[in-house]
Amino acid sequence: MSSPLEGARAAILEVEGLRRSFGGVQAVRGVSFAVAEGTITGLIGPNGAGKSTVLAMIAGSTSPSAGSITFRGQDISGKPPHRIARLGVIRTFQSSSEFERLTVLENMLVAAGSQRGERMGNALLGRWRWRSEEEEMVERARVLLERFEIPAKEDELAGNLSGGQKRLLELARSLMSEPQLLLLDEPMAGVNPSLVRRLEEHLLGLRAEGLTMLMVEHELGVVERLCDPVVVMAQGQVLSTGTMSELRSDQQVLDAYLVG
Ligand SMILES: Nc1ncnc2c1ncn2[C@@H]1O[C@H](COP(=O)(O)OP(=O)(O)OP(=O)(O)O)[C@@H](O)[C@H]1O
Ligand SMILES: [Mg+2]
């Protein structure tokens, strides 16, 4: 494929024969792919293809009906979300998932607590044994908010942020527990074009720091600029895998997704 390094890169995540039905709907029907360490791997396909369901199964919020999910050699399929988060696998959501009535900073701290599997009360109340850890978390939150250029907003209620700022907050929150693998579900959804470019720069910066990402995205320009390789799903199955330019000349992919 595109990168000469690709063969040498170890898979951080391997999904094998994954299935999931909802009542009579077979949302995911035998999906297998791998995510190599250090990549932003794309996951694309038409509405209802099963992309979000695949991310939900990896993150543990939906259990697979069949198949296995291996993260760094460990089978994580069917484990509860907080255990998977603690291993370093964190998901962001297709719709921003902030708590509107909490401040931006509180949102960051709540995310840290839930990603670590602690009881939120302890993390927020700052009992003496949690004190130093809480201070460390506040410091980490401030650094991340500054990095994503939302520092002035830290005492603002999250509900008052613009749509684009909510997407930045969603990303910043996902980094509170120093994840190893980010599962991004349409991180650019509803974001205006100038912020799209900024978000792209942030994601490339994170990749340069060694973070691995699996990203669902509809905007193919974004996928082309960020993702290699790209996995194409349709109707619950994997159609093809390759670079975006390879996929553009793949007739099966064209028929199912890229045109018509
Ligand atoms: N919790 C659920 N209960 C019932 N059906 C569901 C549930 N979640 C997903 N589905 C169905 O499973 C199929 C795949 O949905 P999924 O959300 O994974 O698709 P997607 O590829 O993420 O689509 P989109 O691009 O629109 O976000 C759809 O038919 C959807 O209606
Ligand atoms: Mg989806």
Side-chain angles (χ1 to χ4, degrees):
M1 260 171 246
S2 63
S3 156
L5 280 175
E6 202 160 83
R9 279 184 186 146
I12 189 171
L13 180 82
E14 287 173 283
V15 164
E16 192 64 50
L18 212 54
R19 291 180 172 274
R20 172 72 207 208
S21 306
F22 297 104
V25 179
Q26 291 185 23
V28 176
R29 302 185 292 154
V31 162
S32 304
F33 63 88
V35 175
E37 188 151 22
T39 63
I40 307 179
T41 296
L43 184 57
I44 67 171
N47 293 122
K51 306 178 298 293
S52 293
T53 305
V54 167
L55 292 198
M57 286 191 279
I58 298 168
S61 57
T62 297
S63 56
S65 327
S68 67
I69 303 166
T70 310
F71 174 68
R72 290 204 184 285
Q74 185 178 347
D75 186 358
I76 58 167
S77 43
K79 283 199 197 304
H82 68 271
R83 298 271 303 275
I84 293 174
R86 229 181 306 171
L87 291 171
V89 180
I90 301 290
R91 171 169 61 145
T92 70
F93 290 89
Q94 193 164 343
S95 317
S96 299
S97 64
E98 77 288 340
F99 296 99
E100 302 208 326
R101 308 288 297 273
L102 296 183
T103 67
V104 168
L105 186 61
E106 285 164 346
N107 265 278
M108 297 290 283
L109 299 176
V110 169
S114 61
Q115 287 162 11
R116 285 161 166 245
E118 295 161 0
R119 284 188 301 129
M120 195 171 103
N122 280 338
L124 288 178
L125 287 172
R127 295 190 184 145
W128 67 268
R129 64 203 156 105
W130 295 98
R131 175 66 64 84
S132 69
E133 188 176 11
E134 193 200 331
E135 281 168 358
E136 202 180 289
M137 284 297 116
V138 169
E139 180 54 30
R140 183 163 173 77
R142 295 216 159 108
V143 168
L144 284 167
L145 290 171
E146 192 162 337
R147 173 171 183 170
F148 292 100
E149 297 166 86
I150 24 182
K153 300 282 183 184
E154 86 179 25
D155 294 323
E156 180 95 50
L157 292 184
N160 294 340
L161 297 180
S162 72
Q165 287 168 330
K166 285 179 182 172
R167 301 311 292 177
L168 285 167
L169 178 61
E170 182 84 5
L171 183 60
R173 294 175 73 196
S174 74
L175 298 169
M176 279 301 287
S177 58
E178 301 181 67
Q180 296 175 43
L181 173 64
L182 268 194
L183 309 170
L184 301 165
D185 201 345
E186 299 192 32
M188 313 288 180
V191 170
N192 72 48
S194 62
L195 186 57
V196 165
R197 288 302 179 132
R198 246 174 74 198
L199 264 168
E200 285 181 18
E201 292 303 318
H202 283 306
L203 296 180
L204 289 172
L206 292 168
R207 183 181 64 182
E209 289 165 19
L211 184 61
T212 307
M213 288 163 264
L214 173 61
M215 181 170 97
V216 173
E217 182 54 50
H218 275 292
E219 177 51 59
L220 295 181
V222 172
V223 175
E224 183 132 46
R225 287 188 292 274
L226 299 188
C227 301
D228 181 13
V230 178
V231 177
V232 187
M233 281 184 70
Q235 299 183 327
Q237 294 181 306
V238 173
L239 271 189
S240 190
T241 302
T243 65
M244 203 57 225
S245 56
E246 284 165 347
L247 295 172
R248 283 189 197 284
S249 57
D250 183 325
Q251 194 58 45
Q252 227 190 336
V253 174
L254 290 173
D255 291 344
Y257 182 44
L258 295 179
V259 287

